[in-house]
Amino acid sequence: MPRPMYNSQYRNDPSGLKGVRYDSNWLNYYTSVSIPPLVELHAVQAGDPATSESLSSNYFGHATLARHTRTGIIYALDITFGHIPAPKHLAFLKAQYDMWADKGLHIYKVLIEEVGPQQATTQHLVANTRLDPSGYMPIETLTPKGTKEQRYDTILPFMGNGTILFKGVVSGSGDIDMSEERGFKEFKQEFMGFPKHGRDDVLDAVWMCVQE
């Protein structure tokens, strides 16, 4: 955990978070009893690849978000990340795609970010995906426009008004907070700490899904 986040959460010292952009109170949640059946959802998956395997480098961030065909509400079904070597990127994407497709979720698009030093890796990945004998995956590239602040700001109104819901867990007091699953915890840290957190891999993946 970055030092400013650690000091804020465990030392009651939020001074290091001065200048962060977003507030966790803007996030809204769903629970296992409030989400519609998967067959009523249409999903987008997105990946923000990282080419380095170093533990100090960025992660490969991945998100699965699905829109309810009747209400338009968007449910963040899954967020995951890891230090995944480039040769295993395709297998990672396919595993996420197959896992949710096998559950009955209709995934109509898989987006992969194409920008900066990873551009060649992304192009190679897309080419391999289209030739992959293990099965079809509707993969497309996305080249982000504008600054990260501009991009993330565009989805904030939809978070605040409850159009985008994240997986939540009910506490003993009856309040609902972010799921304790590793990917959702990472998203909350990146969201609350941006732009001082230092990583925005899963935040980027979520934005990619929502903008689609």
Side-chain angles (χ1 to χ4, degrees), residues 113-133:
E113 187 177 72
E114 183 180 35
V115 66
Q118 69 213 32
Q119 187 169 1
T121 300
T122 300
Q123 292 172 348
H124 181 70
L125 174 63
V126 171
N128 285 349
T129 301
R130 290 169 178 164
L131 296 174
D132 183 19

Side-chain angles (χ1 to χ4, degrees), residues 19-205:
V20 298
R21 198 172 183 89
Y22 306 133
D23 190 324
S24 63
N25 290 327
W26 301 343
L27 301 174
N28 289 283
Y29 306 102
Y30 69 88
T31 65
S32 59
V33 298
S34 64
I35 185 172
L38 291 183
V39 294
E40 297 180 9
L41 303 176
H42 287 184
V44 175
Q45 293 185 323
D48 178 18
T51 55
S52 174
E53 299 175 45
S54 169
L55 294 180
S56 62
S57 67
N58 289 341
Y59 292 113
F60 189 128
H62 186 277
T64 301
L65 273 68
R67 185 188 304 272
H68 189 222
T69 54
R70 182 171 53 83
T71 65
I73 300 297
I74 298 171
Y75 297 86
L77 301 178
D78 186 60
I79 300 173
T80 188
F81 63 99
H83 291 292
I84 301 168
K88 296 184 179 180
H89 284 181
L90 175 56
F92 175 74
L93 286 172
K94 193 66 167 62
Q96 296 298 318
Y97 179 83
D98 288 344
M99 177 181 70
W100 284 99
D102 289 346
K103 293 179 180 181
L105 182 65
H106 172 60
I107 305 166
Y108 67 89
K109 191 171 291 186
V110 177
L111 294 170
I112 188 81
E113 187 177 72
E114 183 180 35
V115 66
Q118 69 213 32
Q119 187 169 1
T121 300
T122 300
Q123 292 172 348
H124 181 70
L125 174 63
V126 171
N128 285 349
T129 301
R130 290 169 178 164
L131 296 174
D132 183 19
S134 67
Y136 172 75
M137 185 168 59
I139 192 166
E140 296 183 14
T141 60
L142 174 68
T143 303
K145 306 295 184 183
T147 66
K148 289 181 181 291
E149 288 86 351
Q150 290 171 334
R151 298 201 300 268
Y152 300 157
D153 284 357
T154 62
I155 66 175
L156 286 180
F158 303 104
M159 292 183 179
N161 67 15
T163 298
I164 302 171
L165 301 178
F166 293 87
K167 184 182 291 186
V169 60
V170 181
S171 68
S173 64
D175 294 331
I176 302 177
D177 200 357
M178 186 71 82
S179 167
E180 289 296 312
E181 293 178 17
R182 181 170 171 263
F184 285 94
K185 289 175 67 176
E186 172 67 17
F187 172 82
K188 187 174 181 179
Q189 287 187 3
E190 292 184 12
F191 181 81
M192 291 175 61
F194 182 80
K196 299 186 69 172
H197 184 277
R199 290 196 307 265
D200 54 25
D201 309 291
V202 299
L203 183 54
D204 225 13

